[in-house]
Amino acid sequence: MVQRVRFFVGLLGLAGLLSAPAAHAQTLLPDTVNLQEVQVAGHRYTRYAAGSRVQTVDTLLLKRQPGITLADVLQQRSPLYLRSYGNGMTATVAFRGTASSHTAVLWNGFNIALPTLGMSDFALLPPTVNTQVSLQHGPSGALHGSGAIGGAVVLENPVSFAPHQQVRVQQELGSFGHQRTAAVGSFSDGRLALSSSFTRTATNNDFRFKNITAFGAPWETQQNAAFHQNSFAQEVHYKLGQEQRLSVRGWYVQTHRQIQPSMGSANTHAVQDDENLRLIGEWQGQIARGSTTVRAAWFKDRLDYRDDGTLSLSTVNTYQSQVEHERQLLPNLLLQVGGEGQLFKADVGGYGGKTEEQRFSTYGWLRYDPLPGLQLSLNVRQAWVQGFNPPLTPTLGANYQLLENGEHQLTLKANASRSYRVPTLNDRFWRPGGNPALKPESGWGYEGGLVHQYKGGQLSGTTELTGYGLRVNDWIQWQPSATGGYSEPVNLRTVKGNGAELDSRWNYQFRQDWSLAAGVAYAYTVSQQKLPDARAKLQDRQLFYVPKHKVAGWAEVRHQSWWLTADATFTGQRFTDNDNNNWLEPFALVNASLGKTFTWHSFEAQLMAQVQNLTNTVYQTMAYRAMPPRNFRLALSLQWARPGTSRLNP
Amino acid sequence: MNLNYFKKYLLYVLVGGTFFATSCDSNDDNEPKGAYEHGVFITNEGQYTTPTAEVSFYDPATKTVIPDLFNQVNKRPLGDVAQSMTFVDDKALIVVNASNKIEVVNANTFQGIGVISGLQYPRYMAALNSSKGYVTEWITNNNSRKGRVAVLDLNTYTVTKTIEVGVTPEALLVHNGKLYVANSFDNTVTVINTATDQVETTLTFFNGPNSFAVDATGNIWVLCGRTYYNTDWSVDEEKTTAGHLVKFNPANPQTRTVLQFSSASNQPSGLVTNGAKNQLYYTLGNGVYTLATTATTLPGTPVLRRAGLYGLGVDPKENLIYVGMGPYDANGQVVRFQPSGTAIDSFQVRVLPNGFTFR
């Protein structure tokens, strides 16, 4: 076999796996109030997302454990299935039975998926404590651009000038050499707002596991799975005047990982070094009777992989700019128009030299509330890519309030949306095989549902039920080339899916100093290949690594300064090949943590103990990648905070 | 090699040795030999970096297929990339490339009896007799170092010696007391004396020797062809020449018949013979080509074409052609053809069927 093909296929295998966790808290139009923490989200998309399912993830985990990755957050607080190659290893997410490359990941308005692979490794994303994470379920090409075929993960750091000063340090220790150190601080005087965050996570991952591939299934110690990750984030916001603001955001993540081999494969001492630098400058002002925002960004993504016989270096510089303008045309009619340009400069060993690609898109989003209980949104986006044009992607959605009395509110919602995905740089430029003439993938999604909101005296909650259908055309797949000897991407598959999602979150203040917050989310997912039907062997079989059933539940009890949290997930059978010959058995996973806060004047100390995989379940989310058994963590944090004084109007 | 691997290695040696001793004691001639004594064994590479390699079994008499024979019998996966399979008496040895091991099973029952570990990218095997075998090892998967041949003790499942050969050694052949090794990144064949296990000489052919066949007259055929790449992964047009099929007399290796291919855009591989050893078969692009061992020119047209063609085998009894095809991430397919190239039937196997062993 040609070695290069094998290496590439290996990379594809590693990266080409997909999965989908989701999140927490419910969104009806204007804004989202997270049930657990006071957390008003200022999503720029939410206003235009009528009829679609957007949920805010409970970000309490980010606050309590600075440095935790999005992979861990979604695993513990979302109903999505996380495809993880090991503890801290590559982890991807897919929505509604699509692939991980069908999940767009946006950070403050910019797509941050790796342009080479067209997907994001959620183990490389440790969001800062003030990050709001929301999950768009279903296609949303008009709002989120290329890649939002199954859904989108949206990370935003809202600007707040509320005067304050705060410093926090934290140290966490755990099993298998786990260590996490964090130092975060923020300051605002009403005109200038600063926040800084540094975190470092490291682990040896030398846990014991049962090697089910070896004769007699012996217990072994995991080899070659240690990693460390440093993340530094800085934000500076400055009010130029009452109506103008300047912001600079920087996020640098550096990750060194040994790559955990699968059981039964030789340890080739694989190591992956990632460096992700993201810088954004943003100006926002009120001009021309509306709000205008101009952004420019520079991302640098380095991914270097080496093992005993392979060295693969890649660096991609991405330059992006966005201009958007929003204005209220009528009291019940809101419009946003915008455009963006992207320039990718890739220096990838596999492309045989430096490569560039340019992409542009423009969009218009409309939100119209013709009646008090009816909200409509119509969004459209057209993209242009060097060499070809993706389709026009419209979205039409509506919310209709069926019922409202003092305590109950019942809303009907429906949405139809088109999506597209530009082929990745690998798909287009990899040598040999890369095909610059590939068509973009495109998809359609339809959904409808009901949202029930309840607000009584001590009890409040939201329940959302959604049913959907989804279709992806021209799904790109690598296969042996027509002339043999290597592999090549082709617009091969058509995939159809449908499913139902139930999400319910509740808060109960049952005594003066006792409260309970709990949520449950269930996803039923069917996703099947319809084309090609050569030999009719893959039709009507569930795509691999898409569990039909996934349930996630979590609860937190608080009493005075104590809290006790538990989360549990049940994941159904997952086929590990598209032929459905092999599968992973269903498993349940439970985590729990107990914490107490000590307060003294402006100081606060927090002690937290966690147990992960409480039931010591032996499980895998990707076949033959061992996952850790029961393990423990202990964290202590110290915080000093005080409200500040404003330099502007008090 | 770390301590754990070493311990595991020792364990395999011990287990292997014990099993072998037991099977010697208990295997009387009058016992039934097993359910898989005769048939076609298909090696499926599986998806690289996952232990999804498998051996499929096909019984031409009943047309029954067992797609996952190893797992079905042994209740565990075979490993990562099954490269090749070799029968030595009543044992089958499966070379599992990316698991750095050879799984040894009883050829009749397919029950595992031992493992040879500690190899580095092993590829193909040949046996001198029931107790001594050879396996080529790449050492690296990037053509940067010379490969080697490991001498195997087939009783204890240990490596007794290693012999350095050329870069990226592939097929090997035992013939008249000599071992021929195709150094596929070079243009040479290493000849090793099997009595001393020393390199005797190195024969120069053309770029990319990759497979051997012995014909009925005792001549050796070596098929040469490889695409070389520049550092920027464009094809190295200078070094990548049209392939060659060369016949030579092992007693006088400089006496040769050289047949040159017409184009360098596709490279030939997978040389096999029929049962009578008077007809040769190889793959080129998507085609299977055949020629008589008396031919003096290469065939211009293939006997058959198949998109996604991967493995090739010829059944020694009926001269039926077996072709394996497949994507990288789903079940592959085997199609059987008449010697004329007419398709007979097909069946599904596992991921990437790369070779056929007939027994």
Side-chain angles (χ1 to χ4, degrees):
Chain A
M1 178 195 278
V2 178
Q3 301 103 320
R4 182 166 175 75
V5 172
R6 290 197 12 199
F7 171 63
F8 184 70
V9 171
L11 265 193
L12 275 183
L14 271 177
L17 293 161
L18 356 158
S19 130
H24 187 190
Q26 143 65 20
T27 300
L28 267 197
L29 279 181
D31 287 316
T32 297
V33 178
N34 185 302
L35 296 174
Q36 302 229 348
E37 281 287 85
V38 182
Q39 182 70 263
V40 181
H43 301 132
R44 80 176 177 125
Y45 306 104
T46 316
R47 286 188 292 271
Y48 303 96
S52 69
R53 182 169 171 229
V54 182
Q55 291 192 301
T56 305
V57 181
D58 167 18
T59 46
L60 210 51
L61 286 178
L62 295 180
K63 295 187 197 320
R64 285 184 183 153
Q65 299 171 63
I68 190 173
T69 64
L70 214 45
D72 291 330
V73 172
L74 296 181
Q75 167 61 36
Q76 295 178 35
R77 286 292 183 278
S78 89
L80 300 184
Y81 180 59
L82 204 76
R83 298 174 197 184
S84 170
Y85 285 78
N87 180 34
M89 300 295 124
T90 296
T92 64
V93 160
F95 289 85
R96 294 187 172 174
T98 58
S100 49
S101 58
H102 297 146
T103 301
V105 181
L106 290 102
W107 178 61
N108 292 304
F110 289 99
N111 191 317
I112 57 168
L114 205 57
T116 47
L117 294 168
M119 63 185 75
S120 291
D121 180 350
F122 285 74
L124 299 181
L125 296 174
T128 55
V129 291
N130 68 336
T131 306
Q132 289 177 8
V133 183
S134 52
L135 304 179
Q136 155 81 42
H137 297 254
S140 61
L143 281 185
H144 301 114
S146 175
I149 283 183
V153 176
V154 178
L155 309 178
E156 287 176 297
N157 299 94
V159 183
S160 167
F161 288 100
H164 75 284
Q165 296 168 47
Q166 184 177 324
V167 177
R168 177 178 166 131
V169 291
Q170 179 159 343
Q171 180 65 43
E172 183 175 282
L173 295 174
S175 312
F176 337 121
H178 170 87
Q179 289 189 44
R180 180 174 283 148
T181 307
V184 300
S186 61
F187 161 86
S188 176
D189 63 2
R191 177 148 209 165
L192 176 70
L194 299 171
S195 73
S196 306
S197 164
F198 171 77
T199 59
R200 178 183 169 82
T201 304
T203 184
N204 298 329
N205 261 340
D206 49 355
F207 54 84
R208 301 281 289 168
F209 71 99
K210 197 172 183 165
N211 186 349
I212 53 171
T213 68
F215 177 75
W219 284 89
E220 294 178 7
T221 299
Q222 182 63 55
Q223 305 290 313
N224 203 61
F227 72 88
H228 59 78
Q229 178 173 67
N230 298 321
S231 172
F232 178 70
Q234 176 71 50
E235 290 192 34
V236 180
H237 305 285
Y238 186 68
K239 267 189 188 169
L240 297 168
Q242 282 295 12
E243 299 195 324
Q244 284 188 60
R245 159 175 75 77
L246 210 54
S247 297
V248 177
R249 295 182 161 102
W251 188 13
Y252 174 72
V253 184
Q254 182 243 332
T255 312
H256 173 86
R257 284 187 292 195
Q258 295 178 329
I259 301 300
Q260 176 179 326
S262 57
M263 298 177 212
S265 295
N267 176 6
T268 58
H269 310 98
V271 171
Q272 185 175 323
D273 280 287
D274 287 87
E275 258 187 302
N276 306 98
L277 172 68
R278 306 181 181 101
L279 285 174
I280 297 180
E282 176 180 301
W283 174 86
Q284 188 172 54
Q286 309 298 317
I287 52 167
R289 291 181 295 124
S291 169
T292 301
T293 311
V294 179
R295 298 188 191 90
W298 170 46
F299 299 163
K300 181 175 180 176
D301 295 293
R302 182 173 74 87
L303 190 166
D304 291 349
Y305 171 93
R306 73 194 70 215
D307 63 24
D308 289 341
T310 312
L311 176 64
S312 163
L313 306 177
S314 76
T315 300
V316 183
N317 281 284
T318 308
Y319 305 88
Q320 308 195 62
S321 59
Q322 296 180 342
V323 179
E324 65 189 37
H325 180 72
E326 182 176 72
R327 68 162 69 183
Q328 195 96 33
L329 297 176
L330 294 169
N332 59 352
L333 183 62
L334 188 66
L335 170 74
Q336 186 174 127
V337 291
E340 66 176 352
Q342 293 171 301
L343 169 64
F344 300 97
K345 288 191 169 188
D347 186 1
V348 178
Y351 303 169
K354 294 188 170 145
T355 308
E356 284 188 23
E357 183 176 285
Q358 290 172 41
R359 301 179 192 171
F360 301 93
S361 73
T362 60
Y363 63 85
W365 303 338
L366 207 58
R367 158 72 181 279
Y368 181 45
D369 297 0
L371 302 168
L374 179 63
Q375 301 155 340
L376 302 175
S377 61
L378 172 64
N379 309 320
V380 65
R381 180 185 294 261
Q382 174 68 59
W384 293 270
V385 181
Q386 204 174 311
F388 56 86
N389 293 333
L392 184 77
T393 47
T395 298
L396 180 63
N399 286 339
Y400 180 64
Q401 201 166 304
L402 292 172
L403 172 82
E404 173 162 36
N405 63 30
E407 294 177 329
H408 297 275
Q409 191 181 324
L410 191 63
T411 308
L412 189 67
K413 53 176 198 140
N415 172 285
S417 185
R418 193 167 192 196
S419 60
Y420 70 100
R421 184 174 81 93
V422 176
T424 65
L425 297 184
N426 280 0
D427 290 338
R428 302 189 74 196
F429 302 117
W430 190 267
R431 279 190 193 178
N435 179 4
L438 277 176
K439 285 189 285 185
E441 296 176 350
S442 70
W444 274 103
Y446 316 88
E447 65 186 86
L450 278 173
V451 182
H452 172 250
Q453 284 177 300
Y454 176 83
K455 200 161 173 50
Q458 298 158 310
L459 180 69
S460 63
T462 304
T463 302
E464 181 172 5
L465 179 67
T466 310
Y468 67 86
L470 187 79
R471 181 188 180 92
V472 185
N473 298 320
D474 294 323
W475 184 313
I476 294 169
Q477 190 171 333
W478 285 71
Q479 62 171 26
S481 77
T483 53
Y486 56 89
S487 59
E488 65 183 8
V490 256
N491 290 106
L492 189 67
R493 300 204 285 175
T494 295
V495 171
K496 275 171 98 167
N498 57 73
E501 295 160 342
L502 175 70
D503 201 283
S504 190
R505 291 136 206 266
W506 295 87
N507 261 4
Y508 183 39
Q509 182 85 34
F510 56 100
R511 267 167 53 185
Q512 180 65 35
D513 50 5
W514 285 87
S515 69
L516 171 71
V520 63
Y522 167 72
Y524 170 77
T525 313
V526 173
S527 184
Q528 298 174 343
Q529 176 167 326
K530 294 299 170 192
L531 287 172
D533 61 357
R535 310 198 287 274
K537 59 173 200 155
L538 294 176
Q539 277 66 20
D540 304 323
R541 298 184 194 197
Q542 183 84 342
L543 291 196
F544 66 178
Y545 293 111
V546 176
K548 239 177 196 162
H549 304 280
K550 168 89 200 258
V551 189
W554 51 92
E556 174 161 310
V557 182
R558 287 187 227 184
H559 172 57
Q560 292 170 344
S561 59
W562 289 87
W563 80 82
L564 175 66
T565 304
D567 58 78
T569 55
F570 170 82
T571 307
Q573 181 192 45
R574 293 131 295 145
F575 292 106
T576 58
D577 55 39
N578 284 335
D579 298 289
N580 295 5
N581 291 136
N582 297 291
W583 60 85
L584 294 168
E585 296 295 342
F587 71 94
L589 202 59
V590 180
N591 303 308
S593 68
L594 178 68
K596 179 168 170 57
T597 308
F598 306 89
T599 314
W600 185 72
H601 298 296
S602 303
F603 291 92
E604 192 181 282
Q606 208 171 70
L607 195 60
M608 178 169 62
Q610 301 171 63
V611 50
Q612 306 208 323
N613 192 359
L614 184 71
T615 52
N616 212 15
T617 301
V618 174
Y619 71 103
Q620 296 149 39
T621 62
M622 294 301 303
Y624 307 114
R625 307 282 170 161
M627 297 297 279
R630 182 188 300 129
N631 62 93
F632 304 92
R633 291 178 184 179
L634 198 61
L636 174 67
S637 73
L638 302 170
Q639 178 177 297
W640 172 83
R642 77 167 191 212
T645 46
S646 173
R647 274 165 61 190
L648 293 178
N649 321 330
Chain B
M1 182 184 293
N2 62 38
L3 190 63
N4 270 306
Y5 265 77
F6 186 61
K7 277 195 220 154
K8 206 167 75 179
Y9 170 76
L10 276 182
L11 175 73
Y12 283 135
V13 171
L14 288 173
V15 170
T18 317
F19 269 92
F20 180 73
T22 330
S23 62
C24 275
D25 293 343
S26 63
N27 244 9
D28 292 335
D29 286 345
N30 51 10
E31 276 184 36
K33 280 203 148 187
Y36 314 110
E37 192 179 347
H38 297 293
V40 185
F41 297 81
I42 301 118
T43 41
N44 304 286
E45 289 182 7
Q47 276 187 272
Y48 182 43
T49 73
T50 66
T52 49
E54 206 17 295
V55 172
S56 304
F57 177 77
Y58 177 70
D59 183 345
T62 60
K63 298 203 170 188
T64 49
V65 185
I66 300 171
D68 50 353
L69 179 61
F70 186 90
N71 204 341
Q72 190 169 313
V73 174
N74 295 287
K75 308 295 176 211
R76 64 185 170 94
L78 172 60
D80 188 352
V81 184
Q83 189 61 42
S84 63
M85 180 167 164
T86 305
F87 288 103
V88 182
D89 298 337
D90 276 348
K91 292 178 198 167
L93 294 99
I94 309 151
V95 182
V96 191
N97 175 251
S99 295
N100 286 345
K101 67 174 180 181
I102 297 174
E103 284 278 350
V104 188
V105 300
N106 178 312
N108 304 309
T109 64
F110 234 68
Q111 198 78 47
I113 50 179
V115 175
I116 304 172
S117 35
L119 303 166
Q120 291 180 15
Y121 293 103
R123 299 290 293 173
Y124 294 90
M125 242 205 85
L128 179 69
N129 52 43
S130 63
S131 56
K132 185 167 163 183
Y134 300 92
V135 63
T136 46
E137 293 176 89
W138 278 354
I139 308 300
T140 72
N141 62 356
N142 61 5
N143 310 310
S144 66
R145 286 174 56 187
K146 286 195 167 180
R148 70 184 179 201
V149 168
V151 184
L152 307 174
D153 183 327
L154 300 182
N155 296 320
T156 60
Y157 307 133
T158 50
V159 175
T160 57
K161 182 182 177 178
T162 59
I163 308 159
E164 188 178 80
V165 293
V167 180
T168 313
E170 289 280 59
L172 70 183
L173 170 75
V174 172
H175 185 66
N176 286 346
K178 286 179 183 167
L179 175 69
Y180 297 84
V181 182
N183 301 311
S184 75
F185 199 79
D186 299 332
N187 58 358
T188 58
V189 168
T190 305
V191 184
I192 293 166
N193 181 325
T194 57
T196 61
D197 290 335
Q198 304 274 358
V199 175
E200 209 171 72
T201 183
T202 300
L203 306 173
T204 301
F205 289 92
F206 299 94
N207 280 343
N210 58 52
S211 43
F212 291 111
V214 179
D215 67 22
T217 64
N219 285 321
I220 298 178
W221 294 74
V222 54
L223 184 60
C224 303
R226 169 180 276 273
T227 304
Y228 294 86
Y229 292 95
N230 295 313
T231 50
D232 68 355
W233 289 105
S234 58
V235 174
D236 183 339
E237 306 281 357
E238 203 169 309
K239 201 170 175 196
T240 304
T241 53
H244 293 80
L245 179 60
V246 183
K247 175 170 76 170
F248 69 93
N249 178 348
N252 184 5
Q254 298 310 322
T255 306
R256 299 177 179 184
T257 304
V258 176
L259 307 178
Q260 188 175 359
F261 288 80
S262 57
S263 156
S265 60
N266 282 320
Q267 296 292 341
S269 64
L271 187 65
V272 289
T273 61
N274 62 352
K277 295 179 189 276
N278 58 9
Q279 195 75 19
L280 299 170
Y281 301 80
Y282 59 86
T283 62
L284 179 69
N286 276 328
V288 173
Y289 292 74
T290 181
L291 72 161
T293 54
T294 51
T296 53
T297 55
L298 289 168
T301 53
V303 63
L304 65 96
R305 276 191 193 279
R306 262 316 195 249
L309 186 147
Y310 203 70
L312 168 67
V314 177
D315 148 38
K317 287 194 189 105
E318 299 175 83
N319 294 339
L320 301 183
I321 304 169
Y322 285 67
V323 159
M325 304 175 308
Y328 295 116
D329 62 348
N331 281 348
Q333 198 185 26
V334 168
V335 185
R336 305 198 307 153
F337 295 87
Q338 298 286 2
S340 63
T342 310
I344 305 169
D345 52 17
S346 70
F347 52 92
Q348 217 179 95
V349 289
R350 286 296 184 249
V351 181
L352 271 188
N354 73 353
F356 301 85
T357 317
F358 301 87
R359 188 167 187 261

